[in-house]
Amino acid sequence: MPKLIIDNITLEVPEGTNVLEAARSIGIVIPHFCWHPALGKAGACRVCAVKMLEGPVKGLQMSCMLPVQGGMVVSTTDEEALAMRRAVIEWLMINHPHDCPVCDEGGECQLQDYTIAGGHGIRRYDGKKRTHLNQQLGPYIEHEMNRCIQCYRCVRFYQEYAGGTDFGVMGRADTVYFGRQQDGALQSPFSGNLVDICPTGVFTDKTARFRARYWDYDMAPSVCPHCSLGCNTVPMARYRELLKITARRNDAVNGWFICDRGRFSNAAVNAPQRPRQALVDGRPVAMDAALDAVLERLSEFLEMHGPGALAIVGSPRMSLEGNLLAARLRDLLGAGALCYFGDVLHAERALEAVSLLNYDNCASQEDVRRADLVAIMECELLEEAPMMVLAVRQAWRDGARIFIVGDECPLDDTSQEFFKSEAVLSLADVPLGDAKRPVVICGSRRKNLDAIRAAAGNGSKLAFILDGPNAFACALLAREHGAVSFSEAVAGGKLKGIISLEADLPADLPPEIRMLAAADWQPTKLLERAEVVLPVTAWVEMDGTYVNNEGRAQRFKQVMRPGLPIRGLTPELHPPRVHRHDAPGGDVLPSWRIVAQLLERLGEGRTEEPLSGRWERLRSLDAEGAGELLVGIKQN
Ligand code: FES
């Protein structure tokens, strides 16, 4: 490991580290635009100048382009380096609009920060600014080319990292242009990352445009609920409206990026018509009254049919806390069935993952990115887990061989943009033994469990794609509490009543089955036939835990208070102007609190913290940390 001195601090860094990264590792931030940890160096912006005082390289150098060598003595504050950086910022600002007060990026703009930090305030050049025409890039991304500083981050991400072909760099010299051949929606399912990666305001989130400044947002570390991968995010809200979602770095999971599904799926949370009002037989009531009504109906039901006819149904899209308490409710009532999965296939898939994965063989997205061979079997990867496609692409870019196994893996032409693959008939045809870091990705269609078991036995890592952000936790609980799939419970023929918690059950349940109560924040068909409707918070309105497909428990924090977004209030929807402590539409609770209140009414003590017993240690899990692997947990 080479040793160097930066600003009089001696440090050792791993071979291959550049001077900019070495400085960052000890908290010294050298201004940079084109360098990005996930994209590497480009040497395009020339703003990362440092002065090399002693050692193998001397003079003014671009710190992002210079690998550390032993004996280097670096000054980041040398007057010559500072002058170079000031000059670069001044050149960049010759053409950049001086529009920070009206620019949507203002407040979260790297160029703005470095311009102010560098002291540039007076424009000396009085020529005309170069201008460009902007393009319509679809419903999600706003294009403002005049703000471009030619760092090339966008095209390096879009084409090289994400494999997109409909966006690129055109022109030459000072007319260089980043866009499409012609107007049109960006085709990449990862296009939203342009917003995060652009160091200025060329690409901004059109869906949240001019709604808030960075300091206005309510935000907190969160986890994406839209597939089983558990990518880390920072949702941003204002006035009870989820305005935008950005990627949050987690090197083991999503790295620096997220997919467009995770980024642009806010509408369901903000929908004024989403369930926000407790109902008993269709009549609006306060949440407390609704919970009392559940108890009443429950005791009448139990008297008539007995507990064996009742099913408590949790769900892979509900937090670990909610599912945990669902099991406690089943135990307390002695209900005939506890269900976490809709059908046998979903339940079996998740249980297989739980039984096969352990610390040594579970593959994170980072393991996939670093793999030298990837076999993908029985899944539609882009649909089921988009970020896994990006991970496979990084492996392929580094020389990994990619195999598509069997004919149940319809990676269509779109996927072929991301990586080139070889088709084989079975996993036995994949040369797993020749690889040093092989990974087998098994999708939701998998049938061939024996082959997967054999692969695991041969030292391959496994990545199972599951059916929901918390399917792994549901499988752990199902194994522990003897849960059955909902279809099995119905097929048993004894079921007469259901309490459902964020469950996606078939709407055409047999008419003799009573839907005693249904808790959800999504307007499912099931709510229409529920006797008591209990509106609950969405994941951004509560603290909770999800366990992703590899068995990694990750905490997410409350971003915003629940309630009708101010923007959604039409004159008809606007509530009467009476004094109240909660926001209109805010009489909702997290699912786990609903179950906790039912338990309390049934005579159990008060539950302030749902994670107890062997789950208790997850309470202190840092939401900004890497998470904790729960694989290999033994059945109690
Ligand atoms: Fe070094 Fe751009 S960050 S040249």
Side-chain angles (χ1 to χ4, degrees), residues 20 31-35 42-49 62-65:
L20 190 147
H32 57 277
F33 292 122
C34 62
W35 180 82
C45 72
R46 321 308 286 173
V47 83
C48 63
M62 294 304 117
S63 58
C64 73
M65 301 296 286

Side-chain angles (χ1 to χ4, degrees), residues 117-318:
H120 175 72
I122 306 289
R123 180 178 167 82
R124 291 187 290 172
Y125 176 75
D126 63 0
K128 275 191 172 174
K129 285 183 192 262
R130 171 214 57 209
T131 57
H132 294 284
L133 288 176
N134 300 323
Q135 289 182 322
Q136 287 294 335
L137 296 179
Y140 299 128
I141 310 284
E142 185 71 25
H143 192 215
E144 183 60 60
M145 251 311 285
N146 289 345
R147 297 180 186 145
C148 183
I149 57 169
Q150 296 84 41
C151 71
Y152 287 73
R153 273 191 187 184
C154 56
V155 71
R156 282 152 65 212
F157 169 77
Y158 200 94
Q159 290 190 352
E160 294 169 21
Y161 197 94
T165 52
D166 62 310
F167 173 95
V169 54
M170 290 158 272
R172 61 180 169 83
D174 72 338
T175 58
V176 73
Y177 189 89
F178 297 85
R180 287 169 50 90
Q181 290 279 336
Q182 56 197 25
D183 283 9
L186 291 166
Q187 299 298 305
S188 169
F190 308 103
S191 65
N193 292 298
L194 295 181
V195 173
D196 290 352
I197 211 159
C198 175
T200 174
V202 180
F203 304 99
T204 50
D205 186 332
K206 197 182 257 185
T207 64
R209 214 164 174 235
F210 298 131
R211 301 297 309 283
R213 285 290 182 207
Y214 191 71
W215 49 85
D216 296 322
Y217 292 122
D218 300 323
M219 51 179 152
S222 191
V223 175
C224 180
H226 295 295
C227 78
S228 63
L229 296 185
C231 296
N232 290 203
T233 60
V234 182
M236 300 182 179
R238 194 183 189 202
Y239 297 144
R240 305 190 296 272
E241 184 177 355
L242 181 56
L243 288 177
K244 65 177 176 180
I245 293 178
T246 56
R248 181 163 61 89
R249 178 184 179 184
N250 184 332
D251 289 339
V253 186
N254 51 306
W256 289 81
F257 307 113
I258 54 173
C259 71
D260 285 1
R261 189 198 300 166
R263 187 182 296 268
F264 297 117
S265 301
N266 305 342
V269 175
N270 297 328
Q273 287 79 10
R274 95 173 211 217
R276 296 179 191 276
Q277 171 67 59
L279 304 169
V280 175
D281 296 329
R283 274 179 298 106
V285 295
M287 177 63 86
D288 254 353
L291 288 165
D292 288 341
V294 176
L295 258 288
E296 260 170 43
R297 281 160 204 246
L298 200 52
S299 66
E300 166 232 318
F301 176 88
L302 294 177
E303 209 166 293
M304 199 181 302
H305 300 289
L310 180 70
I312 307 294
V313 187
S315 146
R317 65 178 164 89
M318 182 164 62

Side-chain angles (χ1 to χ4, degrees), residues 84-130:
M84 168 83 180
R85 290 189 222 146
R86 265 198 306 273
V88 170
I89 294 282
E90 188 170 6
W91 297 331
L92 292 176
M93 293 307 292
I94 282 177
N95 283 316
H96 188 90
H98 285 59
D99 66 347
C100 298
V102 295
C103 170
D104 200 33
E105 187 81 356
E108 47 189 320
C109 173
Q110 225 171 317
L111 178 61
Q112 185 182 37
D113 290 348
Y114 290 145
T115 302
I116 291 164
H120 175 72
I122 306 289
R123 180 178 167 82
R124 291 187 290 172
Y125 176 75
D126 63 0
K128 275 191 172 174
K129 285 183 192 262
R130 171 214 57 209

